[in-house]
Amino acid sequence: MADTNSNIARKRQAFEKEALPHMDALYRTALRMTKNVGDAEDLVQEALVKAYRFWDKFETGSNCRAWLFKIMTNVFINEYRSKSRSPMSVNVDDIDDNYLYGQLAANSDGDNPEKELFAKMLDDDVKKAIDELPEDFRIVVVLSFIEGFSYQEIAEIADLQLGTVKSRLHRGRKLLQKELLEYAIRNGFIKGPQK
Amino acid sequence: MNCQEALDLLYEIIDKEASEIDTQEVKRHLDHCQDCFGRYQLHGAIQSLLKEKLKVETDIPAIERMRGNILSKLDEIDAQRESGGPKTIPFRMPAVALAAVAALVLLVGTGFFANGLYKHYTEYIPIERAHWAASENIDIFKDSDKTARMITAVSTDFGLTMNPDHNGLKLVGGTSREIRGMQVSQFYYSNGEYSASVFVIPASEITFSDDLIKTKVTIDGHCFYDHNCRGCRLLYTINGDAVIITASTDRNYELTKFNPIIGAI
């Protein structure tokens, strides 16, 4: 059945008002997902066009932002997931949760070692550390850290069990801390581990 | 609450995901435990600094570019909806036809002939069925790596394990055939172990339900394709045709039935 023209116009208007304003947020997450500007733009466009095709399925009043991120994450996983993605077998269990804490406490003199450390780090360095996370961890870390989605929302967006979200986030954090610390040591921001 | 219990809740507290009761308990513990307090403070600070560093300045030219592209795509969709759904665009220009065939030949060329599995060259895909390939929007066979990636993704969704190299999936043939009374084009990918097909079916003849994750394509209420098929996904519709990927455990299913796409010439 053909939609009436006024019906189409109404849908279009609602979509432009409710969905398109999330383009900024989608784009910044797409950048971290794809790690590349061209792919990120393609991903956002593909996700929003897909969202428009399925706009009838979006329940007015529900969380449009989370719905759009779900579509984009799905498109990313299905079509953009890198061929050479890092295996999930990254062993993070041997990284202690308090690794960074211990290292900072042992190797710094100031009261706020973390502030000193981060003050020297460039935004790009931190982004690079995120980009180096294995893809499955990176997706949940980005959705949590950058977009501030709750564990439950991330579970729905990435189609994962709640427990999987928690464990990937936890493991992602550990790896990130390790990467940042190693980076800081390499660049002489803090001293290396003392034997 | 002891130190271990308090530290186990660290990230949930930082992410504001812990229950009210747990949050209160942790607060009480931190009031009298300097060591745990220090750890909470550090991790909380790291989290906020990370967030600070990850803030992205809006790239206005990029946003404008995307907005423009999206709006024109939406216009196309609206126009299609106004006209009551996708229309089949006849295959008009010989030049375009030749280009389409040339593209297909190019893609099939080496992979196909190196394969040596094909014996029958009698059934060809009618030229009019190849019209979709001429469209700018169809890049599925222009980028065989992307196609393999999509097939891998669909197959993985349906429980077929494929490694990130797509286990050597290759386009090995194509044919025109009848499924449930429908004349469809089928492009067959295989690695000798798993197979996947890309179908092109008149969109008007199928119905599909979609929960954004999985698509079920049916003709008259029956799954349109059932040769050990694990599932399928509608990729998109174009010029009145639906492009669908199916994932199957068939091993080289009736390979001899698949004919070289260059038969279209």
Side-chain angles (χ1 to χ4, degrees):
Chain A
M1 281 295 275
D3 277 314
T4 61
N5 288 4
S6 67
N7 205 358
I8 291 170
R10 211 167 37 244
K11 276 185 203 165
R12 172 70 175 265
Q13 204 181 9
F15 184 81
E16 286 191 22
K17 185 164 162 266
E18 289 186 53
L20 287 192
H22 297 292
M23 207 189 322
D24 276 23
L26 290 166
Y27 184 55
R28 72 181 169 215
T29 286
L31 281 172
R32 294 278 76 73
M33 279 180 174
T34 61
K35 305 197 262 187
N36 132 12
V37 176
D39 280 352
E41 286 188 24
D42 287 349
L43 175 59
V44 168
Q45 291 170 39
E46 209 173 324
L48 279 167
V49 170
K50 186 165 188 191
Y52 187 58
R53 288 190 195 280
F54 291 102
W55 188 236
D56 282 341
K57 305 206 184 240
F58 172 69
E59 290 165 33
T60 316
S62 63
N63 188 342
C64 184
R65 188 165 160 266
W67 185 74
L68 293 171
F69 272 87
K70 181 180 174 70
I71 293 173
M72 187 171 83
T73 305
N74 189 27
V75 173
F76 172 71
I77 288 172
N78 287 331
E79 292 174 36
Y80 289 79
R81 168 161 279 189
S82 54
K83 224 177 14 169
S84 57
R85 81 194 171 97
S86 322
M88 270 301 283
S89 57
V90 181
N91 189 6
V92 292
D93 296 331
D94 58 345
I95 306 172
D96 179 24
D97 261 334
N98 291 298
Y99 180 75
L100 185 58
Y101 178 76
Q103 294 293 334
L104 281 179
N107 299 304
S108 177
D109 320 313
D111 284 343
N112 278 325
E114 74 281 359
K115 288 227 169 84
E116 289 171 27
L117 171 62
F118 280 94
K120 290 173 190 154
M121 247 180 227
L122 300 171
D123 295 2
D124 280 350
D125 300 332
V126 178
K127 283 171 195 153
K128 196 158 166 280
I130 295 260
D131 287 353
E132 274 167 21
L133 290 176
E135 200 163 273
D136 293 313
F137 298 162
R138 199 168 72 241
I139 292 172
V140 292
V141 165
V142 167
L143 290 172
S144 169
F145 285 21
I146 304 184
E147 300 303 334
F149 283 117
S150 71
Y151 295 174
Q152 186 58 46
E153 284 170 327
I154 296 171
E156 282 163 24
I157 289 169
D159 204 23
L160 297 169
Q161 302 280 336
L162 194 57
T164 311
V165 172
K166 284 188 202 176
S167 89
R168 285 193 188 172
L169 199 50
H170 190 161
R171 290 146 74 89
R173 273 182 155 122
K174 281 200 207 177
L175 275 177
L176 193 58
Q177 289 189 11
K178 186 165 175 281
E179 275 169 21
L180 289 173
L181 187 72
E182 283 170 359
Y183 172 85
I185 293 169
R186 251 195 334 270
N187 287 276
F189 298 162
I190 58 172
K191 285 175 275 177
Q194 282 152 9
K195 302 277 169 180
Chain B
M1 183 173 273
N2 63 34
C3 292
Q4 189 55 52
E5 289 167 330
L7 292 177
D8 283 346
L9 286 165
L10 189 138
Y11 290 128
E12 291 193 28
I13 299 266
I14 287 174
D15 291 335
K16 300 188 172 56
E17 294 272 350
S19 69
E20 187 56 32
I21 297 170
D22 282 344
T23 310
Q24 289 307 322
E25 289 259 341
V26 168
K27 268 187 186 155
R28 268 200 291 282
H29 177 82
L30 297 186
D31 279 345
H32 65 258
C33 179
Q34 196 57 43
D35 193 43
C36 285
F37 180 76
R39 285 165 199 253
Y40 263 79
Q41 206 180 28
L42 175 79
H43 284 284
I46 289 173
Q47 180 73 12
S48 31
L49 286 163
L50 275 179
K51 283 187 181 167
E52 193 60 36
K53 294 276 178 196
L54 287 169
K55 272 191 189 153
V56 178
E57 267 184 52
T58 307
D59 179 352
I60 292 170
I63 297 288
E64 285 310 311
R65 196 161 51 237
M66 287 187 280
R67 171 182 290 276
N69 291 344
I70 290 166
L71 290 179
S72 64
K73 275 263 163 47
L74 300 194
D75 287 342
E76 277 173 34
I77 294 172
D78 285 349
Q80 223 174 49
R81 284 176 177 165
E82 274 165 26
S83 64
K87 286 265 187 294
T88 303
I89 297 165
F91 204 56
R92 283 164 295 198
M93 296 166 60
V96 183
L98 282 174
V101 172
L104 289 171
V105 170
L106 223 91
L107 272 156
V108 175
T110 47
F112 180 78
F113 288 112
N115 194 301
L117 286 163
Y118 297 90
K119 299 182 178 86
H120 298 242
Y121 295 84
T122 47
E123 291 173 52
Y124 300 136
I125 294 181
I127 189 84
E128 66 271 17
R129 300 286 308 147
H131 67 78
W132 53 271
S135 159
E136 279 297 304
N137 293 326
I138 293 275
D139 56 359
I140 184 156
F141 293 119
K142 288 182 194 157
D143 180 351
S144 59
D145 185 56
K146 189 174 178 188
T147 309
R149 248 187 291 159
M150 285 193 281
I151 290 172
T152 304
V154 173
S155 303
T156 308
D157 274 356
F158 298 115
L160 305 180
T161 316
M162 291 204 180
N163 72 25
D165 300 326
H166 324 303
N167 290 1
L169 269 181
K170 278 201 177 89
L171 176 63
V172 292
T175 190
S176 177
R177 59 189 298 189
E178 197 181 295
I179 294 178
R180 296 195 187 281
M182 296 295 319
Q183 199 61 32
V184 307
S185 298
Q186 179 174 8
F187 299 88
Y188 189 77
Y189 286 75
S190 173
N191 64 358
E193 188 173 0
Y194 304 122
S195 65
S197 292
V198 178
F199 287 94
V200 184
I201 302 183
S204 54
E205 303 297 330
I206 60 165
T207 47
F208 57 95
S209 56
D210 197 301
D211 62 359
L212 294 177
I213 302 293
K214 284 175 187 164
T215 306
K216 194 173 165 136
V217 180
T218 49
I219 298 176
D220 297 334
H222 296 283
C223 187
F224 88 102
Y225 183 63
D226 53 16
H227 290 283
N228 294 332
C229 180
R230 292 286 187 88
C232 61
R233 174 173 293 146
L234 178 77
L235 289 182
Y236 34 66
T237 56
I238 184 85
N239 295 348
D241 280 331
V243 179
I244 296 164
I245 286 184
T246 63
S248 158
T249 50
D250 271 344
R251 291 174 186 219
N252 293 328
Y253 163 72
E254 293 181 87
L255 263 188
T256 51
K257 281 196 176 174
F258 290 91
N259 302 292
I261 302 168
I262 52 166
I265 293 170

